Amino acid sequence: MVGATVSLLLLLLGLCTAHKPLQTDKVDPTEKEDITTTILRMNNGSSEFLLEGDLYIPKTRNAMKCLNKAFNCLWPKSSDGKVWIPYIISDKYDAEENDAIVTAMKDFHGKTCIRFRPRKEERMYLSFQPRHGCFSAMGRVGEKQVVSLQRFGCVNHGVIQHELLHALGFYHEHTRSDRDNYITILWENIIDHHVYNFNKKDTINLDTPYDYSSIMHYGRGAFGMNRKETLIPYPDSSVEIGQRDGMSEIDVLRVNRLYKCHGY
C-alpha cells in the first residue's frame, strides 16, 4: 500500500513538472507593442543618460558634436566604395539571438554600401552587448562602441535596425528640423521631465520627405502621461506611425545618400 502511494505521488509530481513552464522559456512581450513602447519599456531604470530614450551619451567624451553634425562621425568609406564596419557579438546571446542580430545587419548589404563584418584586429568596431535596455551612440564616437540589446525584448529585427541606424548617424524622425509641418506635438501630455526629448534637431534631411513609416519614428504615445498621445500626424491624423518591422524605403535611401553609396 505504501509503495502504491509513493508511486502515485511520483506520478502526480511528474505531471506537474511536465506542465510547469521552464525558467528558460522565452516570452516575447513585444509582439503587440510599437517600437517606442518596447524601447522605452526596456530602457526604464537604465543607469545611462539616454537622450530621446535610447541615444547613449558616453561619459568619457563629449558626443554633442556628433549629435549636431552627423557628418563628423560617419564610418569611413573604403577604396572599394563600401563602408566596412567591424563588429563583435557577445557570447551571452544564444544562437537564435545571434542569428537575429546578423540577419538585421545583412539586410543592409543588399540595399546599401554598408557592410558589417566580424572584427579581426580593427581598432574601431561595434560591440553588441546584452546590457540593460536597447540603446546606441549617435554615429561613430569611440573605439569599442556598444550597441546594447537586452535579451528578451530588444533582440528583434526592428529594434536592432533602429539602433544600427543610430550607430550610422541618424536621429529619430520626430525630432528632424521640419517636423512641425508633419506632426503636432501635444506638449501638455508629455511627462514633465521628458519634454526635452521632443526638441528639434538641426538635421541634415538629405532631400528626403518626412517619413511616417520610418523605423526611426516614435509612436503616438512616446513619453506620454497615463498613455496619452504625444505625437499626432498632420494634417491627416489617421496616418499610422511607429512601425516595428524594419527599415522603410526612405530609411534605406537616406543611408545611401548620407554615405554616398552608388548603384543602390
Side-chain angles (χ1 to χ4, degrees), residues 24-25 28 64 69 84 95 102 105 131 172 174 176 184 186-187 196 239 244:
T24 56
D25 284 353
D28 185 2
M64 294 309 293
K69 294 182 180 180
W84 295 96
V102 171
M105 288 190 289
R131 294 187 181 181
H172 293 123
H174 76 277
R176 64 180 263 173
T184 299
L186 302 179
W187 298 98
Y196 71 93
V239 174
R244 56 176 297 106

Side-chain angles (χ1 to χ4, degrees), residues 31-197:
E31 292 181 355
K32 296 182 179 180
E33 294 178 339
D34 64 41
I35 196 167
T36 315
T37 303
T38 298
I39 290 175
L40 298 185
R41 176 174 57 78
M42 296 302 295
N43 290 349
N44 185 33
S46 173
S47 61
E48 307 291 353
F49 176 69
L50 301 176
L51 183 66
E52 296 174 19
D54 70 332
L55 276 173
Y56 171 61
I57 307 299
K59 296 183 176 68
T60 56
R61 63 173 294 176
N62 181 358
M64 294 309 293
K65 185 175 183 180
C66 286
L67 290 174
N68 289 331
K69 294 182 180 180
F71 278 101
N72 288 337
C73 53
L74 296 186
W75 295 82
K77 182 180 285 188
S78 298
S79 58
D80 63 1
K82 304 294 192 297
V83 179
W84 295 96
I85 302 179
Y87 70 86
I88 62 172
I89 299 177
S90 170
D91 59 9
K92 294 180 182 179
Y93 293 111
D94 63 24
E96 183 179 350
E97 292 164 334
N98 189 95
D99 288 347
I101 295 171
V102 171
T103 297
M105 288 190 289
K106 283 185 176 179
D107 191 35
F108 284 79
H109 296 185
K111 300 174 181 178
T112 75
C113 63
I114 305 297
R115 296 292 184 274
F116 298 97
R117 64 182 176 189
R119 179 191 181 226
K120 295 181 181 177
E121 297 180 352
E122 294 89 348
R123 184 169 58 90
M124 294 188 176
Y125 61 97
L126 294 179
S127 176
F128 293 92
Q129 299 292 332
R131 294 187 181 181
H132 181 90
C134 331
F135 58 83
S136 171
M138 175 75 169
R140 186 185 59 145
V141 297
E143 295 184 1
K144 176 184 177 181
Q145 185 165 324
V146 171
V147 176
S148 175
L149 297 170
Q150 185 177 342
R151 302 183 67 194
F152 314 127
C154 299
V155 190
N156 65 69
H157 193 77
V159 173
I160 297 167
Q161 291 200 333
H162 180 103
E163 301 307 335
L164 284 172
L165 285 171
H166 279 321
L168 288 171
F170 289 92
Y171 294 90
H172 293 123
E173 190 75 355
H174 76 277
T175 62
R176 64 180 263 173
S177 57
D178 62 349
R179 63 95 186 277
D180 291 335
N181 296 325
Y182 304 97
I183 57 173
T184 299
I185 306 296
L186 302 179
W187 298 98
E188 67 277 11
N189 292 344
I190 302 171
I191 298 171
D192 288 343
H193 60 278
H194 283 299
V195 170
Y196 71 93
N197 291 312

